[in-house]
Amino acid sequence: MSQIICGNVIETAKEYFQVNLTTSQNGNSDNTATVVDFGAKGTVQYDTKSNFDSSNDAYLLDSSDGVYLISFSIALGSTSNINTETLKDVAAQVEVATDGSNYTALFGNGFRVQDNTGETQGSEAISGTYIYKATTGTTKVRLVGEADTASGVNFDIKKNILDNTIDITLSATATYLSVVRIA
């Protein structure tokens, strides 16, 4: 909603949210879908409606009929040394619970990082954006990641991706969830 007062537009229903992973989430079981622990290992950057549910690592949409732009990024890697990481497959998805507690997949992305000769790769980042129309006043969204490693070791959800083969450190936030109401 907007009001026009003396030629100025005042937005009365701003809603935007972003949470960043600020401490890597280490030791997640190989080949197991894992909710990103933003409640304990993240920092809320924006939450204009104060709707972050830290105990469930989820954001409660503020409108039962709003249209939202939901974006995510997640960095996944094995718990092995950076020189010996062994990822085969990685995946991420945003899940939605229209009743506030029973989550199902909404959208996501994944890919095989192992090449055709069996060579495995290191850390990978996955991202995506989706437009979602809320239908209930109890709808929550959260981020889930999964990795399958070649040797069955656990995987990490990383706050950023580091690379020791280039001259810079890629230290920007690599794991986050953003929600913006667009209508």
Side-chain angles (χ1 to χ4, degrees):
M1 291 274 174
S2 294
Q3 294 178 351
I4 298 179
I5 299 175
C6 299
N8 296 325
V9 176
I10 299 172
E11 296 179 39
T12 58
K14 285 184 186 178
E15 181 183 0
Y16 53 94
F17 167 80
Q18 181 162 324
V19 62
N20 302 323
L21 194 66
T22 50
T23 303
S24 292
Q25 185 176 333
N26 300 324
N28 306 292
S29 297
D30 184 50
N31 210 22
T32 301
T34 303
V35 175
V36 178
D37 187 3
F38 287 120
K41 299 185 176 295
T43 299
V44 174
Q45 185 171 3
Y46 306 107
D47 189 355
T48 59
K49 298 295 183 177
S50 299
N51 282 348
F52 180 54
D53 176 358
S54 61
S55 62
N56 290 301
D57 304 302
Y59 179 73
L60 172 66
L61 302 180
D62 197 57
S63 170
S64 63
D65 64 351
V67 178
Y68 292 86
L69 183 66
I70 303 170
S71 301
F72 76 91
S73 178
I74 188 169
L76 302 167
S78 72
T79 56
S80 302
N81 177 302
I82 194 169
N83 295 315
T84 59
E85 288 182 327
T86 58
L87 294 178
K88 290 189 330 186
D89 300 288
V90 293
Q93 66 187 22
V94 169
E95 294 181 335
V96 63
T98 57
D99 65 357
S101 60
N102 295 304
Y103 290 89
T104 59
L106 179 61
F107 72 101
N109 198 349
F111 54 92
R112 173 152 276 215
V113 294
Q114 183 177 31
D115 70 17
N116 65 347
T117 63
E119 293 293 322
T120 53
Q121 307 299 313
S123 301
E124 296 291 341
I126 302 169
S127 60
T129 301
Y130 188 81
I131 295 175
Y132 178 75
K133 172 109 171 67
T135 57
T136 70
T138 56
T139 301
K140 292 183 180 180
V141 295
R142 68 182 186 184
L143 180 59
V144 174
E146 183 172 352
D148 181 16
T149 63
S151 58
V153 300
N154 291 339
F155 73 95
D156 297 336
I157 299 173
K158 298 175 176 277
K159 71 175 185 166
N160 55 19
I161 294 201
L162 303 175
D163 189 329
N164 66 351
T165 62
I166 58 177
D167 292 335
I168 62 170
T169 299
L170 302 175
S171 59
T173 300
T175 301
Y176 64 85
L177 177 65
S178 297
V179 179
V180 178
R181 183 171 176 188
I182 58 176

